[in-house]
Structures are given as C-alpha cells and as structure tokens.
C-alpha cells in the first residue's frame, strides 16, 4: 500500500474519532439543562438528541463544509505536505477536546479545528495559502477565515443576547400563570432538545466532512473540493455515536455549577441556542454548540437575577474560549511539522 493512500485511510479514521469526541463533548451541551431541571431523564434526553443529531447533516446541506474545507488552499501543494497539514489540524482539535473534557470545561471543537488548520497552514505553507477573506469583508461579504471567525466568535454574543431577551419574554408572557404551567414547559423539552440536536448535527458534523474532502483533494483522489455521500454518512454516524455516550463531566459544569437550573431556563436555553445554530448553518458559518449553549445559558440566568449566576465559573469558561484558538494553532503547527518530518523520513 502506498504511503499516501495509507495516510488517507488514517485521516478517515481520525476524522471518525474527531467527530466521536465532538459528539461526546457536545452531548452535555444539548441535554445538561434538561437533566438539571428534572424535566427529562438522562437516557431519554440523550437518545432524542442523538437521533436528531444524525438527521441534521442529511437534511441541511453542506454549506458549512464548503466554508471550512476551502479557507486553506492546498491545490497544487505536494501530496505529503498537504496531508501533513490536514492530519496536524485534526490532531490539534482532538487533543484540545480531550484536555478540556478531562478538566470538565466546555470548549469548542470548531474553534480547535479552525485554529489547527490555520496553524498548520502557516507552518507548512504560507500566509498566501490562507483564504483570510479580508478583502471580501471590506466589500461587505463574509468569506474564508472571516466567515469562520464570524460564526465562532459572533455566535456566543448573539446567543447571550437572544437568551437574555427570550427569558425576559417568558417572564412577561407567563407571569400570571400558576405552577401548573410547568407541565407545558416539561412537554416542550422534547421539542427543544430535538431541535438543538438537529441544529448541532447539521453544523458540527460538516467540519469532519470538510477535512475528509480536503484529504481526498490532497491525496489526488479528487480534482477539486467535494464531499462524497459516504463521507456524510460516516461523519453523522460518528458524531451521533459520540452523542450517545455523552460527556458527563461537562453536564455537571453546565447543569449544576453556573446557577440553579429550572425547567423554564432549560427551554429558553435550548430554543435560543437552536435558533443561533440554525441561522449560522443556513449561511454556511460554523458555530460552536458548546459556546452557543453556554452563552445562552448565562443570558437566561442574567435575565432573571444576575447575582444568581456563578460569574467566576462563567469567567473561567469564557477565558477558555479565548485560549482555544491560539493553543490549537500552536498544536496544529507543531503536529503538522512533526508529521511532515516523519513522512519525509519514511518516504526517503
């Protein structure tokens, strides 16, 4: 078996692992508030989220994959250099996922992958190979890295705002209702968990598809960037499987350590996060379900009583977001250079 073909198979396996860790990581984001509020049993919430996570990529198209897969230009790049870049970015994302899972902190698989790609691209190629999208931005358009930045950094602030406003709206609409209204919110959890799972799968699974599409191009298996259907099935299956296993450490952080979650918070949180994710997917902008869910949760709590929010814990989570990209860039560069050196040695 040729080395380049072996590396292609290796990347497909690593992407499946990446998507598994993504689903494993983000399962907590989708169900933490429903479990903490007592509205749903953990097993039921996970099964619903997982089922709709599987459906998301099959229905919503591939706009996000096109964005992620084309902001580092690898056309015409030597096969082993291009393959090293892709593998390095993937390993950077998986490493950061596992570290933050171990610490029990929600982090962004999307930020990790984007940072890994940019770091690996700068280390092995050049600044000219990165489609930054600055010129397009000056013309009022979102392209390349600028679209990624918009999706990954603007979405938490949008989630915070929508979460705050929706919670305020709930208090106005339901202020004169008795405690029996809780039954309505409990029932609505099934819809909100399903929508959040669907929006998560539709956006997050596409990033792994983009990596495989890049690797197929790097390996000479395709002439331009395309996403075969088998790739869609592989990535959505892997992320769904990861969702079923769940990240219980992060459920503890989101569900029990920011503030006391009630069912009204849970519904507002899931609806707000689902809306942000869906809007971003429609325009092809990658988001972080972790960041969106956490930001909307903080907005929900602040809308009721700001002093009830554990701002120290929230500050730690946000601080981790800002470390995500630079650390992933550094890891991507280190992995890519090391792998390229190794491949060069093997090939020689």
């Amino acid at each position: 078996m040729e080395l380049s073909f072996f590396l292609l198979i290796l990347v497909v396996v690593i992407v499946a692992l990446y998507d598994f860790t993504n689903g494993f990581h983000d399962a907590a984001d989708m169900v933490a508030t429903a479990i903490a509020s007592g509205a749903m049993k953990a097993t039921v919430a996970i099964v619903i989220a997982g089922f709709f996570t599987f459906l998301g990529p099959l229905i919503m198209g591939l706009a996000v994959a096109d964005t992620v897969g084309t902001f580092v230009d690898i056309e015409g790049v030597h096969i082993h250099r291009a393959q090293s870049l892709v593998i390095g970015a993937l390993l950077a994302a998986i490493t950061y996922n596992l570290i933050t899972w171990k610490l029990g902190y929600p982090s962004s698989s999307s930020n990790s992958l984007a940072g890994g790609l940019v770091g690996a691209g700068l280390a092995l190629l050049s600044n000219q190979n990165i489609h930054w999208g600055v010129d397009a931005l000056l013309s009022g358009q979102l392209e390349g890295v600028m679209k990624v930045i918009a999706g990954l950094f603007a979405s938490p602030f949008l989630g915070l705002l929508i979460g705050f406003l929706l919670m305020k709206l709930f208090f106005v609409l339901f202020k004169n209702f008795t405690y029996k209204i809780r039954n309505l919110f409990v029932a609505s959890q099934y819809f909100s968990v399903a929508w959040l799972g669907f929006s998560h799968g539709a956006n997050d699974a596409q990033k792994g598809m983009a990596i495989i599409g890049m690797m197929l191009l790097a390996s000479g298996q395709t002439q331009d960037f395309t996403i075969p259907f088998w790739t869609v099935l592989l990535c959505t299956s892997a992320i769904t499987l990861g969702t079923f296993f769940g990240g219980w450490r992060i459920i503890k952080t989101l569900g029990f350590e920011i503030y006391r979650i009630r069912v009204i918070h849970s519904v507002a949180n899931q609806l707000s996060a689902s809306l942000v994710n869906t809007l971003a997917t429609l325009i092809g902008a990658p988001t972080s379900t972790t960041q969106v869910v956490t930001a909307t949760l903080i907005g929900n709590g602040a809308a009721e009583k700001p002093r009830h929010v554990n701002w120290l814990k929230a500050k730690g989570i946000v601080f981790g977001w800002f470390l995500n990209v630079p650390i992933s860039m550094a890891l991507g560069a280190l992995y890519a250079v090391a792998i390229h050196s190794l491949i060069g040695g093997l090939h020689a």
Side-chain angles (χ1 to χ4, degrees):
M1 182 185 295
E2 291 187 4
L3 179 59
S4 60
F5 186 72
F6 170 77
L7 292 174
L8 172 60
I9 300 301
L10 180 63
V11 164
V12 171
V13 173
I14 296 175
V15 166
L17 175 61
Y18 165 76
D19 275 331
F20 179 86
T21 62
N22 192 336
F24 185 88
H25 213 275
D26 289 353
D29 312 322
M30 294 184 281
V31 303
T33 56
I35 295 171
S37 68
M40 297 179 73
K41 292 183 178 180
T43 303
V44 174
I46 288 288
V47 169
I48 292 174
F51 176 74
F52 283 93
T53 291
F54 182 82
L55 291 181
L58 301 177
I59 296 174
M60 288 295 287
L62 300 173
V64 173
D66 290 337
T67 298
V68 175
T70 57
F71 75 78
V72 178
D73 183 12
I74 58 173
E75 288 193 41
V77 174
H78 187 274
I79 183 170
H80 292 151
R81 187 174 290 271
Q83 289 181 328
S84 300
L85 184 155
V86 175
I87 297 171
L90 259 179
L91 292 178
I94 292 172
T95 299
Y96 200 85
N97 269 4
L98 293 177
I99 291 172
T100 52
W101 165 77
K102 182 66 176 178
L103 295 174
Y105 268 83
S107 68
S108 168
S109 302
S110 305
N111 280 1
S112 300
L113 184 58
L117 280 169
V118 172
L122 291 174
L124 292 184
L125 303 179
S126 69
N127 185 58
Q128 284 70 36
N129 289 82
I130 311 296
H131 182 194
W132 296 104
V134 175
D135 293 337
L137 183 64
L138 295 176
S139 302
Q141 296 178 316
L142 277 176
E143 295 180 3
V145 177
M146 290 300 105
K147 181 181 277 191
V148 174
I149 291 174
L152 298 178
F153 286 95
S155 57
F157 295 101
L158 183 60
L160 182 70
L161 177 62
I162 292 178
F164 182 90
L165 294 176
L166 184 60
M167 197 68 191
K168 287 290 188 183
L169 178 63
F170 275 8
F171 285 136
V172 171
L173 292 178
F174 301 109
K175 65 179 181 179
N176 295 323
F177 283 79
T178 66
Y179 183 75
K180 291 182 179 180
I181 195 65
R182 184 180 187 276
N183 295 329
L184 173 64
F185 281 100
V186 170
S188 70
Q189 286 277 260
Y190 292 86
F191 168 77
S192 59
V193 167
W195 186 13
L196 186 53
F198 181 85
S199 67
H200 164 252
N203 198 288
D204 281 44
Q206 292 193 47
K207 293 131 192 178
M209 299 175 202
I211 291 298
I212 294 180
M214 290 181 70
M215 194 62 179
L216 289 170
L217 177 60
S219 305
Q221 300 296 314
T222 57
Q223 299 304 310
D224 51 22
F225 178 78
T226 56
I227 306 294
F229 184 66
W230 65 263
T231 303
V232 178
L233 285 179
L234 173 70
C235 292
T236 190
S237 298
I239 202 169
T240 300
L241 187 63
T243 300
F244 284 139
F245 278 86
W248 299 105
R249 291 174 184 266
I250 301 169
I251 287 176
K252 181 175 180 290
T253 300
L254 286 180
F256 299 95
E257 295 184 4
I258 296 180
Y259 59 86
R260 182 176 177 272
I261 304 293
R262 291 181 287 124
V263 68
I264 190 172
H265 301 119
S266 181
V267 174
N269 173 246
Q270 290 157 355
L271 290 178
S272 304
S274 300
L275 178 60
V276 173
N277 269 358
T278 302
L279 291 174
T281 302
L282 289 173
I283 66 170
T287 62
S288 164
T289 299
T290 300
Q291 288 184 348
V292 172
V293 168
T294 306
T296 55
L297 185 62
I298 294 171
N300 300 148
E304 184 178 19
K305 289 183 179 179
R307 61 187 178 86
H308 284 181
V309 177
N310 184 344
W311 292 106
L312 184 61
K313 177 65 71 172
K315 181 181 177 181
I317 292 172
V318 173
F319 183 68
W321 293 350
F322 286 99
L323 290 177
N324 198 335
V325 169
I327 290 177
S328 298
M329 285 179 65
L331 288 172
L334 288 172
Y335 278 131
V337 171
I339 292 166
H340 186 250
S341 298
L342 177 62
I343 291 176
L346 292 174
H347 189 65

